[in-house]
Amino acid sequence: MFTGIIETVGVIQSIEKSGTNVDFTIQSNISHELKIDQSVAHNGVCLTVTALKDDWHKVTAVEETLLKTNLGELEIGAIVNLERCMIANGRFDGHIVQGHVDQIGKCTRKEERDGSWLFDFEYDSDLGNVTVEKGSICINGISLTCFNSEDGKFSVTIIPYTMEYTSFKTLQAGDVINLEFDIIGKYVSKLLNKK
């Protein structure tokens, strides 16, 4: 389990196809602290560390993950958000994040607002996912509060710290993003729509 509070970013060093899987090698300042078999969220996608060295680690994404997330669109040099799983005695600073991306969405607007940035996003609401005003949303692994919540769209505001220390610094209108909707909302929706 994760909290959506990004520890650091990594840079994609290599991308290698292995059948229908893709192996990503990521350079980061936490790679030397990882261990093989450890779960780490990469842009909000929980992946297992399969190899590592001093300043890099390798993870594998299977075809299902590549089809349902933005990992398949990453290129060498891309920045990814990284978060290790929460330790049992840690503070829960974000919200409950499983590292299981529900669907992709798209950034439709980025606007500087004199010290902060407004981002608008759209997603396919036919898949049954919803946001609520002032509710939690996980974008590329980052726990955020959404507003302007409507069917298939919402907004977030980014503070300078988040802009500097996450992949939001490279995000532009038209970019595809990973979305994990609030787990509590998903359970409530499932129970209300149960037949």
Side-chain angles (χ1 to χ4, degrees):
M1 182 167 45
F2 305 92
T3 67
I5 303 300
I6 302 305
E7 286 187 70
T8 191
V9 294
V11 179
I12 303 291
Q13 298 296 304
S14 72
I15 300 171
E16 301 168 20
K17 284 202 69 117
S18 176
T20 59
N21 300 337
V22 171
D23 295 324
F24 295 97
T25 301
I26 298 109
Q27 183 179 34
S28 81
N29 61 9
I30 63 167
S31 293
H32 70 283
E33 297 177 19
L34 303 178
K35 61 185 179 101
I36 292 176
D37 288 341
Q38 186 171 4
S39 294
V40 179
H42 295 71
N43 272 2
V45 182
C46 181
L47 298 172
T48 302
V49 176
T50 59
L52 51 84
K53 199 80 172 176
D54 296 332
D55 67 344
W56 61 264
H57 65 278
K58 186 181 284 190
V59 293
T60 301
V62 298
E63 184 177 32
E64 173 78 1
T65 301
L66 296 168
L67 292 173
K68 295 202 171 165
T69 70
N70 68 2
L71 295 186
E73 298 188 14
L74 293 177
E75 298 177 349
I76 292 174
I79 294 173
V80 292
N81 296 316
L82 300 175
E83 181 190 359
R84 288 176 281 187
C85 352
M86 181 179 172
I87 55 175
N89 65 349
R91 285 194 172 89
F92 217 103
D93 293 325
H95 72 281
I96 298 171
V97 175
Q98 297 181 297
H100 305 157
V101 172
D102 294 304
Q103 67 183 90
I104 56 171
K106 186 176 278 191
C107 177
T108 57
R109 178 172 65 146
K110 174 183 181 179
E111 180 182 301
E112 190 169 355
R113 290 269 178 107
D114 193 24
S116 63
W117 289 263
L118 172 73
F119 287 84
D120 291 337
F121 297 97
E122 290 183 352
Y123 62 94
D124 182 0
S125 61
D126 290 341
L127 297 179
N129 294 306
V130 297
T131 61
V132 295
E133 196 72 13
K134 305 294 186 254
S136 296
I137 187 71
C138 191
I139 301 173
N140 284 346
I142 305 167
S143 174
L144 296 162
T145 302
C146 59
F147 62 98
N148 293 337
S149 179
E150 297 178 33
D151 189 33
K153 55 186 173 178
F154 65 92
S155 302
V156 299
T157 299
I158 302 300
I159 62 171
Y161 183 90
T162 305
M163 182 62 84
E164 183 176 352
Y165 291 103
T166 72
S167 65
F168 262 99
K169 63 184 154 208
T170 61
L171 189 64
Q172 299 295 324
D175 287 351
V176 174
I177 45 101
N178 292 329
L179 293 171
E180 181 179 332
F181 294 82
D182 182 52
I183 186 65
I184 297 168
K186 289 191 285 190
Y187 277 116
V188 169
S189 177
K190 176 95 173 166
L191 288 170
L192 290 175
N193 293 314
K194 194 172 181 180
K195 295 180 177 171

